[in-house]
Amino acid sequence: MQQTLELRATQQLTLSPQIVQAIRILQLSAADLEHEVEEALSNNPFLERTETTTTGSTASGDAAATAEDEAAEATPMPTSVSDAGDDRDEHDPWSSTTPKRNEDERPIGEGYAPSTTLRDHLVEQLAGNRLNDADRLVVEVVIDGLDDDGYLRQTPEEILSAVPPECPIGEEDIDVAVRFVQSMDPPGIGARSLAECLALQLERLPEQTDDVCIAKRIVREHIDLLALHDSTRLSHKLGCGEETIRRANILIRSLNPRPGAQFSDAQARYVVADVITRKVNGKWVASIHPQALPNIQINQIYADALQRDRSGNGAMTRHLQEARWLIRNVQQRFETIQRVAQVIVDRQRRFLELGELAMRPMMLRDVARELGLHPSTISRVTSNKYMETPTGLIELKRFFSSRLTNDEDGTTCSSTAIRALIRELIAAENPADPLSDVQIARILASRSIKVARRTVAKYRTALRIPSVEARRMSVTGAEPRRSTPPRPIAALASERRTAQRQAARSQGAASNQSEAASQSL
């Protein structure tokens, strides 16, 4: 084999680290971006929070509001980077007008999580029980297998795999440990299912009345009918009156389906709007929410010191470059979000004024074509981003909906508007005689909206609206009409073979009788 050198020219697209960071920052939500900035502040010495200062006396409230409206109308983006020069642009800080939040102030719900966890609460109860080391170990393994709601989702095999090999236990010991945990406080802890959780709580009630017994049978045997609120079938299967079923339902509703949730330390994450929409001089304007802007800048003292350093510290130079990249990419993120949000507001102006019924059909490629961007960029911009509108907080993805075209006149309608119209029709229907999907399709056709029945059923299911039979049952309490189920093919074949054998036997008996008659003659 002979080795040779060969020159070959190829073209290859390579993404620089700055572009990769820009793409990743663009698709982050406001909360994730804040976490990203906090991590960068802790790791990069050239980044710092922007210090906001106040000078002299403030203007009056009316003058400040007027100035704010004029500024929002003139420049929707509240911050920008100076373009004085290439070299100076590297050192100019980029900051927002958002005042720095006092570190002593806490967001709503922060710092009020319960200090005692579910595991601590259960382990404390073990202190008063005389268990040997092996039994205590198995019980603690079962406790570790509980989720935040207090349910035991692990199988006996998974629990056994978590026990040390030197501890000889079997599945019987696991069952005993599970029953021991289920006897602890709060009631219903350690259940494997919702039915078992409710049954455990009913067992712990001080008075075992007839209503409690009926409630036990409901949760153990007919919890599916309980979910359907089918009191008629429950009373028929349990052999009791509907009044008894009603009292049992009230008793079941008083139980806690998530007994471990009170010890959960999970905190609610509040959504921060990325964009604010408001009407300025009769025109809808989209601007970046000030609270979504991270108030960061370059530490100019450190940057100047590094520039004066002749030794050329490579690590510090890299940190400074990464800090500049982060500030530029964050600014570019908000500029892109503001541009996309403004196009959405311009196209969905009637939605902001009239509601969902006025939603226009819009696709990602429509906005991308208008802004000269790729549809994947529009998808990243609208993912996990929210807009504050007069009707509430709306995700940007919600403004995009499919287009349904009428074949007769060529008009188009948004699927979101059709869903809203279906919701209004069902809300205004007669409860005793609800509208079927076919009737809804005919009403929409009378309004020049041609939609198939299966499309109406799909939209109704997406809106979590029950079928016409379920809506009628909820009012009248009657059982749904059931058609006779088709007979299995195997049963039909068996009946056919039986009939053929009977016919063969009858034919054979007739031939025997004819032979006997001929012999007698």
Side-chain angles (χ1 to χ4, degrees):
M1 179 183 295
Q2 184 179 1
Q3 295 182 354
T4 60
L5 295 177
E6 181 183 358
L7 296 178
R8 181 179 303 173
T10 60
Q11 292 183 351
Q12 183 178 2
L13 180 62
T14 303
L15 297 179
S16 63
Q18 183 179 3
I19 297 178
V20 173
Q21 185 188 54
I23 295 175
R24 184 172 55 86
I25 288 179
L26 183 61
Q27 62 188 3
L28 293 178
S29 62
D32 294 336
L33 177 63
E34 181 65 23
H35 179 72
E36 184 84 7
V37 170
E38 291 291 343
E39 186 176 355
L41 285 171
S42 61
N43 297 330
N44 197 323
F46 290 95
L47 285 175
E48 65 177 1
R49 288 289 187 183
T50 304
E51 297 293 339
T52 57
T53 59
T54 57
T55 59
S57 60
T58 59
S60 61
D62 296 338
T66 305
E68 183 182 2
D69 292 340
E70 292 176 356
E73 183 180 3
T75 57
M77 277 295 299
T79 58
S80 62
V81 176
S82 175
D83 296 329
D86 294 339
D87 297 335
R88 187 169 183 80
D89 182 34
E90 297 288 332
H91 301 285
D92 284 342
W94 177 75
S95 60
S96 69
T97 58
T98 307
K100 184 179 179 181
R101 194 185 76 180
N102 189 358
E103 296 297 331
D104 296 334
E105 297 178 358
R106 292 176 177 174
I108 299 176
E110 183 177 326
Y112 295 98
S115 57
T116 304
T117 63
L118 177 62
R119 187 185 188 282
D120 296 338
H121 179 71
L122 297 176
V123 171
E124 287 177 0
Q125 300 179 46
L126 292 178
N129 295 275
R130 297 180 179 178
L131 298 176
N132 55 36
D133 295 340
D135 295 339
R136 184 184 180 88
L137 176 61
V138 177
V139 172
E140 289 183 355
V141 170
V142 173
I143 292 175
D144 292 336
L146 301 179
D147 60 7
D148 293 338
D149 294 334
Y151 285 87
L152 182 62
R153 306 297 185 184
Q154 295 183 351
T155 61
E157 292 77 11
E158 294 175 344
I159 298 176
L160 281 174
S161 62
V163 178
E166 59 271 11
C167 185
I169 61 171
E171 293 189 3
E172 296 81 6
D173 300 321
I174 298 295
D175 294 337
V176 174
V178 170
R179 288 196 295 270
F180 183 85
V181 172
Q182 291 176 353
S183 64
M184 293 182 174
D185 182 75
I189 205 73
R192 273 71 63 94
S193 62
L194 176 61
E196 186 178 12
C197 177
L198 299 177
L200 290 173
Q201 297 181 51
L202 292 172
E203 293 286 349
R204 303 275 288 273
L205 292 180
E207 297 182 2
Q208 297 293 321
T209 59
D210 295 339
D211 296 340
V212 175
C213 297
I214 294 296
K216 290 180 184 178
R217 293 187 59 187
I218 290 176
V219 299
R220 288 173 176 170
E221 303 172 8
H222 308 290
I223 194 170
D224 53 340
L225 298 179
L226 177 65
L228 295 175
H229 305 284
D230 197 344
S231 302
T232 304
R233 295 180 63 187
L234 281 174
S235 61
H236 176 71
K237 289 183 175 295
L238 298 177
C240 58
E242 293 191 5
E243 181 63 24
T244 305
I245 298 297
R246 187 185 67 83
R247 293 196 304 268
N249 287 339
I250 295 175
L251 180 61
I252 294 174
R253 292 193 190 118
S254 64
L255 304 177
N256 185 7
R258 300 170 58 196
Q262 56 183 319
F263 299 95
S264 177
D265 57 352
Q267 299 181 9
R269 295 185 62 184
Y270 296 92
V271 175
V272 178
D274 299 85
V275 183
I276 300 177
T277 58
R278 53 183 175 178
K279 213 169 189 179
V280 180
N281 297 331
K283 181 181 179 181
W284 288 97
V285 178
S287 59
I288 298 298
H289 198 300
Q291 294 183 2
L293 290 167
N295 49 344
I296 57 175
Q297 67 179 4
I298 296 292
N299 190 318
Q300 199 62 40
I301 299 177
Y302 291 170
D304 294 341
L306 180 62
Q307 189 175 9
R308 292 190 301 266
D309 188 7
R310 300 291 184 178
S311 60
N313 193 327
M316 301 304 292
T317 303
R318 186 176 65 255
H319 278 303
L320 179 58
Q321 187 65 32
E322 291 176 354
R324 290 170 178 168
W325 284 354
L326 178 63
I327 291 178
R328 286 182 177 180
N329 291 332
V330 170
Q331 181 193 15
Q332 184 179 4
R333 173 187 188 271
F334 284 106
E335 288 177 352
T336 308
I337 291 176
Q338 195 275 331
R339 291 177 60 198
V340 173
Q342 186 60 50
V343 173
I344 293 175
V345 168
D346 294 340
R347 288 175 170 263
Q348 301 293 350
R349 176 179 55 83
R350 293 179 59 83
F351 167 77
L352 298 175
E353 297 174 352
L354 304 177
E356 288 187 343
L357 289 175
M359 175 76 77
R360 290 182 54 189
M362 185 172 62
M363 307 294 289
L364 293 175
R365 61 175 177 268
D366 299 335
V367 180
R369 189 182 303 111
E370 183 171 347
L371 295 177
L373 301 174
H374 196 272
S376 62
T377 303
I378 307 300
S379 177
R380 293 187 181 96
V381 170
T382 56
S383 297
N384 300 319
K385 312 295 189 306
Y386 293 86
M387 178 184 293
E388 185 176 329
T389 66
T391 58
L393 206 62
I394 300 177
E395 189 177 6
L396 294 183
K397 283 286 188 183
R398 188 177 171 186
F399 290 97
F400 297 89
S401 58
S402 58
R403 180 183 291 108
L404 281 78
T405 306
N406 193 351
D407 298 334
E408 298 178 358
D409 53 3
T411 58
T412 60
C413 185
S414 170
S415 60
T416 303
I418 296 176
R419 289 190 185 96
L421 187 56
I422 292 174
R423 187 191 298 112
E424 287 193 358
L425 291 176
I426 294 178
E429 69 183 1
N430 183 9
D433 188 17
L435 297 174
S436 64
D437 296 338
V438 176
Q439 293 173 334
I440 294 175
R442 291 174 181 173
I443 295 175
L444 295 177
S446 65
R447 301 185 182 183
S448 301
I449 303 175
K450 190 175 181 181
V451 181
R453 182 204 61 81
R454 60 180 178 272
T455 305
V456 174
K458 182 180 71 173
Y459 289 167
R460 177 182 52 76
T461 304
L463 294 172
R464 297 182 179 181
I465 298 177
S467 62
V468 59
E469 290 291 342
R471 300 201 302 273
R472 184 182 293 111
M473 285 169 51
S474 62
V475 176
T476 61
E479 292 194 18
R481 292 173 294 181
R482 297 180 177 82
S483 58
T484 304
R487 305 177 68 182
I489 298 177
L492 295 176
S494 176
E495 292 181 0
R496 188 179 296 110
R497 288 193 297 269
T498 302
Q500 291 176 355
R501 287 195 296 268
Q502 291 178 355
R505 283 196 296 267
S506 61
Q507 185 176 2
S511 61
N512 293 335
Q513 290 178 1
S514 61
E515 288 182 4
S518 61
Q519 290 177 2
S520 61
L521 293 175

